[in-house]
Amino acid sequence: MPTFTALTTLSGKENADKLGEAMERLVPEPTGVGVFEIEDGSGLWEIGGYFIEAPDEAGLALLAVAFGAKPFAVSELPETDWVAKVKRELAPVEAGRFFVYGSHDADKVPENSEPLLIEAAMAFGTGHHGTTLGCLKGLDRLANAGFVGQNVADIGCGTAVLAMGAARIWPNTVLASDIDEVAVEVALANVTANGLVGRVHCVEAAGFGHPDLKAKSPYDLIFANILKAPLVDLAPDMGANIAQGGHAILSGILNEQADDVVAAYDAAGFDVHTREEIGEWTTLTLTRR
């Protein structure tokens, strides 16, 4: 079955949202509409729709004029076996001692590695994204330097790959939390698939807002691979929940945002231990003063 896309850009969130809503009323109707800010400082927003029938190009042209957008670019996507494509493109990833892989690559796990199984359907947080890779490398560096995490938490855990990495190499149970109920279910499934039931404890929480998280504070290592704004908001709580000499490994930070995050955590009592850029993303390993 063919799939069609229709994409345009315009200035301003309000108009972008209204155009997205108007697109949903087209006939044939789109199967999905997305409205995204283009993160290049231009103030432009991208509006796109997916269709399983050829879209009404005349209707799209009228919408573009009505909302002051550029003319829509309409394309037909080639038919793709997406499962096969994901399996091809999500090749195993090595981050120091850690080897992140899908079940289709189970025969490639090296001896003496710490394997972390994440299925291709759960692509974000597999280690292929620069933020997750950076966090795993940060964990590996700390372990190589002789650090042993006795009390570890993963805030905004997603697939729980970071929590599982810590549980693979250190003896105590790791706490993993996410604000999203589905993410917690995914994390639990991954913990089970990796034979780590009882070693990683998953809870649904925003920040440190869960009794289990509060009960185990202060921590000697906390992961937070989220985004700049929630990381900055979380800085005071991080300072309150990490013991002196403990570490935070932070990512989800665009390179140009890193200085702002460092400043927020400096004010909360942290020094920079290491700072690594992978592509457009920065990972910070910080130490609590």
Side-chain angles (χ1 to χ4, degrees), residues 208-232:
F208 292 89
H210 192 283
D212 291 357
L213 285 164
K214 293 174 182 175
K216 291 196 70 177
S217 180
Y219 297 88
D220 52 11
L221 174 62
I222 295 177
F223 301 102
N225 180 14
I226 41 181
L227 293 168
K228 176 201 167 183
L231 281 174
V232 169

Side-chain angles (χ1 to χ4, degrees), residues 56-233:
D56 176 6
E57 295 197 37
L60 288 169
L62 287 173
L63 289 180
V65 171
F67 289 94
K70 289 186 176 180
F72 277 90
V74 177
S75 304
E76 181 178 353
L77 299 180
E79 292 190 37
T80 304
D81 181 342
W82 288 105
V83 172
K85 178 179 172 66
V86 166
K87 287 182 175 180
R88 281 197 308 272
E89 295 187 354
L90 291 189
V93 168
E94 293 187 64
R97 74 194 68 197
F98 300 104
F99 186 83
V100 187
Y101 70 102
S103 58
H104 56 285
D105 284 319
D107 60 334
K108 298 177 183 175
V109 176
E111 290 185 19
N112 303 317
S113 69
E114 296 293 348
L116 297 167
L117 168 63
I118 306 288
E119 285 301 349
M122 303 165 181
F124 188 84
T126 60
H128 298 80
H129 196 273
T131 62
T132 312
L133 178 59
C135 289
L136 285 171
K137 291 177 70 177
L139 170 60
D140 186 63
R141 271 194 299 269
L142 285 180
N144 285 339
F147 176 80
V148 177
Q150 302 290 342
N151 193 15
V152 180
D154 182 2
I155 305 295
C157 65
T159 59
V161 66
L162 303 177
M164 293 192 300
R168 279 272 186 238
I169 62 173
W170 294 325
N172 294 342
T173 300
V174 177
L175 264 172
S177 71
D178 202 285
I179 195 170
D180 183 77
E181 180 182 359
V182 173
V184 175
E185 292 174 0
V186 168
L188 286 166
N190 284 325
V191 168
T192 301
N194 283 271
L196 291 170
V197 173
R199 303 276 295 106
V200 177
H201 176 49
C202 303
V203 298
E204 183 180 344
F208 292 89
H210 192 283
D212 291 357
L213 285 164
K214 293 174 182 175
K216 291 196 70 177
S217 180
Y219 297 88
D220 52 11
L221 174 62
I222 295 177
F223 301 102
N225 180 14
I226 41 181
L227 293 168
K228 176 201 167 183
L231 281 174
V232 169
D233 290 344

Side-chain angles (χ1 to χ4, degrees), residues 7-24:
L7 299 172
T8 187
T9 58
L10 56 70
S11 296
K13 181 180 188 302
E14 184 177 356
N15 269 357
D17 286 338
K18 288 180 178 177
L19 176 53
E21 291 171 5
M23 283 183 70
E24 292 177 354

Side-chain angles (χ1 to χ4, degrees), residues 37 39 124 129 131 135 155-156 224-236 238 249-265 275 280-284 286:
E37 184 177 13
E39 294 184 346
F124 188 84
H129 196 273
T131 62
C135 289
I155 305 295
N225 180 14
I226 41 181
L227 293 168
K228 176 201 167 183
L231 281 174
V232 169
D233 290 344
L234 203 57
M238 285 285 222
I249 298 180
L250 312 179
S251 200
I253 308 162
L254 291 167
N255 295 335
E256 61 268 24
Q257 299 172 337
D259 288 343
D260 291 341
V261 177
V262 168
Y265 279 78
R275 176 172 175 165
E280 62 184 335
W281 301 97
T282 292
T283 299
L284 300 170
L286 309 176

